[in-house]
Amino acid sequence: MRIVLDTNIYVDFARGKPDVVDLLATQSTEMLLPAIVMGELFYGFMKGSRSRHNEEKFHHFVTTLEVSIIHVNEDVARKYAIIFSDLTNNGTRIPINDVWIAACCMSVGGTLLTRDRHFDRVGQIDKIVLP
């Protein structure tokens, strides 16, 4: 399965949470990370007291596990417009970064792995929402 990682899933993996580590080890054939998730992670690293350590750990994760980065391009932007329009028409809101993350997922045809229940409102993507 092509798994697109949400920010909270990388954090859980980095902390060694068994449910995430096991799921990625047994279910993923490919791991992908939206550039937006990278931005959220780098922001979190900057706020913390161990920013250099966390950034090195992140780069090791990406390199060692051959995680592909999903860059924002015209296709992703069009998917963003579709998802945001649908959410707006339904009177539903989710955090704007999460609309971009969903658009990245839709663009590559992956399955989003997250802990955020509000992704259930995005019908255009496959997702696994962990408790």
Side-chain angles (χ1 to χ4, degrees):
M1 175 182 336
R2 299 181 86 200
I3 295 186
V4 177
L5 306 174
D6 193 10
T7 307
N8 50 42
I9 295 302
Y10 170 77
V11 171
D12 286 353
F13 181 87
R15 291 179 177 159
K17 292 213 171 178
D19 61 336
V20 171
V21 172
D22 291 346
L23 193 147
L24 291 176
T26 61
Q27 301 296 315
S28 68
T29 57
E30 182 180 7
M31 283 189 278
L32 301 102
L33 192 75
I36 293 87
V37 168
M38 289 178 63
E40 290 181 345
L41 289 169
F42 291 151
Y43 173 72
F45 299 160
M46 286 173 41
K47 288 186 353 182
S49 61
R50 299 175 37 174
S51 62
R52 183 180 175 114
H53 168 78
N54 287 329
E55 198 160 327
E56 287 172 359
K57 187 174 183 176
F58 171 75
H59 285 296
H60 179 74
F61 165 80
V62 169
T63 304
T64 304
L65 298 179
E66 299 179 353
V67 177
S68 300
I69 306 304
I70 307 169
H71 298 282
V72 175
N73 57 25
E74 184 176 346
D75 184 55
V76 171
R78 289 185 186 281
K79 303 296 192 257
Y80 167 89
I82 291 167
I83 293 168
F84 191 62
S85 177
D86 188 55
L87 289 168
T88 302
N89 290 340
N90 291 327
T92 306
R93 302 295 255 180
I94 67 172
I96 205 69
N97 277 0
D98 289 347
V99 178
W100 282 108
I101 291 167
C104 287
C105 184
M106 185 180 176
S107 178
V108 299
T111 299
L112 181 66
L113 183 58
T114 184
R115 289 198 187 275
D116 292 333
R117 296 243 45 108
H118 59 252
F119 279 108
D120 285 334
R121 300 177 194 144
V122 180
Q124 294 85 356
I125 62 170
D126 291 330
K127 67 210 79 71
I128 298 170
V129 181
L130 298 176

